[in-house]
Amino acid sequence: MNMLKFLVLTACACGLALAQPQAASLSVVPLKGGVYMVKGGSGANTAFVVGKKEVILIDAKMSEESAKAELAEIQKLTQNPVKYIILTHSDGDHVNGLSGFPKGLPIIAHANTKKDMEDAFKDPKMSALAPYLPNQTMTASQPMTLDSVRLELLYFGPAHTSGDLVVYLPDQKIAFVGDLVFVGRDPLIHRQKGGTSIGLAQNLQKMLALDADTFLCGHADPLTKADVRGLMTSIEEKHAKVKGLVAQGKSVEEIKSAMGVASAPGQAAGRFPSLIDIIYQEVTEKK
Ligand SMILES: [Zn+2]
């Protein structure tokens, strides 16, 4: 894993802005129907939709500098002002760049995302972000039309966190799914933010039912439905295997070793619990 990716994942894991490496420059990838994906900079991938008169952003990068760079890239493509920001969840690599955008815009998120952000922004080092808490929240899926762009903000229950929104654009058949999918590593579940791996499998199932052919996420290139199906199958297989081994009375260490998960020596304890640790905790916790 290269250092930039490591630091991005680190920031994602703890939800805080950490010392950042020299941010890679942004690249804007045109997709279809006025939708663009933004890669690079500091923080997770973002996306934006150019409407008739306005621009709708999805997620906000991790630093003010990268947010401003994204705004500059948008202005090369359109005169339309950025009018709305939708947040997929509360991790710092998706929200800490908010201070680079104009104050007072509608910021739309799940109510649990707002709560996580309120907690994080109490840190005096985060005071610049205090004016950027979500001001339109929801607790259930909601269709909306913003500047003639049809969107469905879908909430499928706790998964990566307890406030993950899927931003589905039915006309473009694109879904921006934040960190509900990872590629090249196991999914990350923030139990401290109410995330669950069982919920994640259910979220993936519901995503597969969408009439979408392109899935955009925080830390990988665009994915197809087949890619998402592969991830769902993999997590379901791991659930079944852990459940079976727990039923045989195996310990978490025995299960990890049977499933080829190294107990990475030297890794700070609890920093990155493996997916198997998470599934084990969920399977064995007292209800
Ligand atoms: Zn995240």
Side-chain angles (χ1 to χ4, degrees):
M1 184 183 291
N2 68 38
M3 187 50 67
L4 175 60
K5 199 165 173 195
F6 173 75
L7 286 170
V8 166
L9 291 171
T10 302
C12 183
C14 65
L16 295 172
L18 300 176
Q20 293 160 29
Q22 190 66 38
S25 59
L26 293 182
S27 66
V28 176
V29 182
L31 297 167
K32 52 187 173 178
V35 181
Y36 297 79
M37 176 182 184
V38 184
K39 295 164 58 176
S42 112
N45 298 330
T46 60
F48 62 91
V49 191
V50 179
K52 285 197 177 129
K53 296 184 188 151
E54 295 160 348
V55 173
I56 301 154
L57 286 186
I58 307 171
D59 282 348
K61 294 287 174 200
M62 192 165 73
S63 69
E64 199 169 305
E65 181 196 17
S66 278
K68 287 186 169 156
E70 177 166 349
L71 274 178
E73 290 297 322
I74 293 170
Q75 280 158 11
K76 288 180 195 166
L77 291 163
T78 176
Q79 308 263 306
N80 297 0
V82 169
K83 182 64 196 294
Y84 305 94
I85 304 178
I86 301 169
L87 301 175
T88 58
H89 67 291
S90 60
D91 284 346
D93 56 329
H94 297 252
V95 308
N96 287 355
L98 281 168
S99 54
F101 295 103
K103 284 196 182 88
L105 298 180
I107 299 177
I108 305 166
H110 191 280
N112 293 343
T113 292
K114 179 178 183 181
K115 190 181 162 303
D116 288 341
M117 290 168 69
E118 280 170 340
D119 291 345
F121 295 175
K122 279 181 193 149
D123 183 334
K125 292 198 286 292
M126 312 284 271
S127 59
L129 284 159
Y132 292 92
L133 285 170
N135 45 27
Q136 287 186 27
T137 59
M138 63 190 63
T139 55
S141 298
Q142 200 172 308
M144 55 178 72
T145 300
L146 302 176
D147 185 29
S148 75
V149 176
R150 286 204 305 141
L151 299 132
E152 291 180 26
L153 303 192
L154 301 172
Y155 182 61
F156 298 140
H160 173 65
T161 69
S162 63
D164 308 291
L165 288 183
V166 167
V167 183
Y168 173 48
L169 296 152
D171 295 326
Q172 291 88 348
K173 297 187 190 289
I174 291 176
F176 190 98
V177 306
D179 283 357
L180 291 170
V181 302
F182 277 94
V183 176
R185 57 152 291 154
D186 272 338
L188 194 55
I189 306 291
H190 295 317
R191 270 171 72 85
Q192 77 282 14
K193 289 185 175 180
T196 87
S197 71
I198 290 167
L200 180 64
Q202 289 162 352
N203 268 247
L204 294 173
Q205 248 169 10
K206 291 187 173 147
M207 279 159 48
L208 287 169
L210 298 175
D211 183 19
D213 55 27
T214 306
F215 294 82
L216 307 178
C217 65
H219 303 281
D221 286 327
L223 303 172
T224 64
K225 196 172 261 196
D227 296 326
V228 175
R229 188 171 292 112
L231 294 167
M232 188 191 68
T233 305
S234 151
I235 189 168
E236 285 182 343
E237 282 171 1
K238 285 175 180 158
H239 269 128
K241 188 136 197 210
V242 172
K243 266 190 193 161
L245 291 167
V246 166
Q248 291 171 32
K250 303 285 187 201
S251 71
V252 66
E253 289 311 323
E254 287 169 328
I255 291 171
K256 280 160 73 175
S257 125
M259 295 180 71
V261 179
S263 292
Q267 205 169 30
R271 176 117 214 167
F272 284 121
S274 74
L275 178 63
I276 302 306
D277 282 296
I278 297 282
I279 296 173
Y280 179 86
Q281 286 170 32
E282 290 178 19
V283 167
T284 56
E285 75 192 341
K286 292 198 170 63
K287 295 282 186 280

